[in-house]
Amino acid sequence: MNHVIHPVQDDAHQTAPPPAHEPGQQHPIGIYFKIWGLLFVLSAMSYAVDYFAVQGVMRWVLIITFMILKAGLIVAVFMHMMWERMALIYAILVPPLALGTLVWLMWIESDYTFWTRILFFDGGG
């Protein structure tokens, strides 16, 4: 058997593979400008709700929707959540979502209790 090693092949085998994540690597600045523009548009839409005098439930639905979208973009990009591992994302986002779900369930239960008192106790007092 002939085991002659070619010099070019030897250098290729000894070279370490490039690391998956360069130390000090930064994210492209273009994404920050895009998110900044999107936040500006969402803020303008939020102010437009007041400018066009939208009233009632639609007003609060629009304002809260724009608020949640802006908060999500800020957390995802400017707080670097988008580049974290999925386990860390779940560890941060699941507890507030579970707490919000419990608050929503208590709110529904409070309406049931209030209307039950109105119905059976003749005005609740």
Side-chain angles (χ1 to χ4, degrees):
M1 304 260 325
N2 188 3
H3 293 288
V4 177
I5 298 175
H6 193 272
V8 175
Q9 288 179 343
D10 189 38
D11 288 341
H13 288 279
Q14 292 180 357
T15 306
H21 184 73
E22 295 286 332
Q25 178 185 5
Q26 296 188 5
H27 309 292
I29 196 163
I31 194 165
Y32 291 104
F33 285 125
K34 289 175 188 171
I35 297 301
W36 181 81
L38 194 56
L39 288 173
F40 181 78
V41 169
L42 287 172
S43 294
M45 291 171 72
S46 182
Y47 288 121
V49 170
D50 281 337
Y51 182 78
F52 292 113
V54 177
Q55 296 295 323
V57 175
M58 182 59 79
R59 171 193 169 95
W60 293 110
V61 167
L62 289 173
I63 288 175
I64 290 175
T65 301
F66 294 140
M67 178 185 69
I68 290 172
L69 287 174
K70 289 190 297 186
L73 286 173
I74 289 169
V75 168
V77 176
F78 292 110
M79 296 176 77
H80 300 209
M81 182 75 75
M82 194 166 96
W83 294 284
E84 293 294 336
R85 292 182 301 165
M86 193 56 77
L88 184 61
I89 292 172
Y90 286 150
I92 292 173
L93 292 182
V94 168
L97 289 175
L99 189 62
T101 302
L102 291 174
V103 168
W104 179 70
L105 289 173
M106 287 188 290
W107 177 64
I108 291 173
E109 179 69 23
S110 70
D111 274 352
Y112 172 75
T113 303
F114 176 74
W115 288 110
T116 303
R117 286 182 180 174
I118 294 289
L119 184 64
F120 291 109
F121 295 128
D122 195 25

